Amino acid sequence: LGVTYRFDERHSVYANVGGGVEVPAGNETDPAGTFGQDTVTAINPLLEPIRSTTWEVGSRHRLDGLTVGPLALATLAVDAAAYYIDVRNEIVPYRGGRFYFTAGKARRMGLELGVRARTSFGLGLAGSASLSDNRYTEYVVDSVHYGKPGALARYDDNRVVGVPRWFGALQADWAIPAMPDVSVAVGLQATGGYYVDDANTLAVPSFGVVNASLRSRDLATVDGITIAGAIAVENLFDRRYVGSAYLNPDVVAGVPLYIESGMPRTLLLTFELRRK
């Protein structure tokens, strides 16, 4: 259910409330074999459907012909939103995704901001940021898979595993005036750190990578077919970072195994054929 109020054609505010039910996936209800380490291989009876209620408010604003100091902006658009989500039966992976348990309740809330602008001389700027706080509010789990039958661990108020605390992106692109079909772009993508275990002792550090691209909408035209293309470099400075992680990972010889490395510097070439 949602409501939107428009002050005018360029500015509106909105509020939404919604609910959802998500049935556990097949790999969550059917535990994977562990080569004799565990005999529990039937359908997992401990999981229930995830239920959530979401509250959101936001604003959308667009300005045209704005001047900021010496910079003349042809357009400026700003989107902002805040949300709050109550989740029951949050499903949590264990042993790198071999088993799944259920946290009683979780709370997710955050702020999001997006800004897009374009100058009168063809320079485009876009930025976005998301800040969130995601925590278990009711979570008690036994430690059967850690060799202590009957023992319990309480993780109330711990951060939800696998969810970065913030995201950010910033990109500039420019359509070259002397070559209107050619544009260049440089952007930064950044991700905040997050925990990979319920006890919040193992963490993935934050990271940022720079990407760049050169695009042409008209490299050549042959027999009425236009050839377009682009060359892009991702992770321009070849930075090392953790691309993803196993949650509540296996521990081998006292060492948790959870890191998957991100992609190194990558060159992408793309082509497009278009008939006029």
Side-chain angles (χ1 to χ4, degrees):
L1 178 66
V3 60
T4 299
Y5 181 80
R6 297 178 62 185
F7 294 99
D8 52 45
E9 294 182 354
R10 297 171 180 168
H11 188 201
S12 63
V13 294
Y14 65 89
N16 299 320
V17 60
V21 177
E22 180 181 345
V23 177
N27 67 303
E28 296 170 342
T29 58
D30 185 11
T34 53
F35 305 104
Q37 298 175 30
D38 199 299
T39 59
V40 181
T41 56
I43 291 179
N44 186 350
L46 302 178
L47 301 185
E48 298 183 19
I50 305 169
R51 302 178 183 274
S52 64
T53 303
T54 301
W55 304 82
E56 180 183 11
V57 295
S59 173
R60 298 186 177 98
H61 201 180
R62 190 184 84 246
L63 297 172
D64 297 325
L66 182 66
T67 300
V68 180
L71 190 63
L73 300 178
T75 60
L76 173 64
V78 179
D79 295 340
Y83 63 86
Y84 183 95
I85 308 174
D86 272 322
V87 184
R88 292 179 177 270
N89 304 321
E90 174 100 10
I91 293 181
V92 185
Y94 272 75
R95 295 199 62 182
R98 289 187 179 90
F99 302 95
Y100 291 82
F101 291 165
T102 298
K105 294 182 181 180
R107 180 207 67 214
R108 300 171 181 263
M109 58 183 180
L111 301 172
E112 297 178 339
L113 176 67
V115 179
R116 301 177 304 280
R118 186 160 295 277
T119 68
S120 56
F121 53 87
L123 177 64
L125 301 171
S128 62
S130 176
L131 302 175
S132 66
D133 185 64
N134 310 279
R135 294 180 182 272
Y136 302 116
T137 54
E138 292 183 13
Y139 188 10
V140 179
V141 62
D142 64 28
S143 52
V144 62
H145 295 300
Y146 295 91
K148 297 179 181 178
L152 296 176
R154 180 174 292 276
Y155 295 123
D156 296 358
D157 204 41
N158 279 18
R159 296 187 184 273
V160 174
V161 296
V163 184
R165 300 175 196 175
W166 57 268
F167 294 93
L170 182 64
Q171 177 171 298
D173 66 87
W174 184 44
I176 302 174
M179 296 179 288
D181 290 325
V182 178
S183 64
V184 295
V186 178
L188 169 67
Q189 291 183 319
T191 301
Y194 56 91
Y195 288 110
V196 301
D197 65 328
D198 290 335
N200 287 180
T201 60
L202 303 174
V204 168
S206 58
F207 69 90
V209 294
V210 175
N211 306 316
S213 65
L214 174 65
R215 303 178 184 276
S216 174
R217 289 180 49 82
D218 191 354
L219 288 173
T221 301
V222 180
D223 295 332
I225 297 178
T226 299
I227 303 173
I231 180 172
V233 182
E234 296 184 349
N235 194 2
L236 181 63
F237 299 110
D238 201 24
R239 181 171 182 185
R240 294 183 179 182
Y241 63 96
V242 178
S244 60
Y246 291 101
L247 304 181
N248 286 309
D250 282 329
V251 178
V252 179
V255 178
L257 305 178
Y258 63 94
I259 291 176
E260 291 190 314
S261 61
M263 289 291 290
R265 183 187 296 118
T266 305
L267 179 66
L268 301 176
L269 297 174
T270 59
F271 294 94
E272 176 186 344
L273 301 179
R274 187 173 63 249
R275 181 181 290 276
K276 292 185 178 181

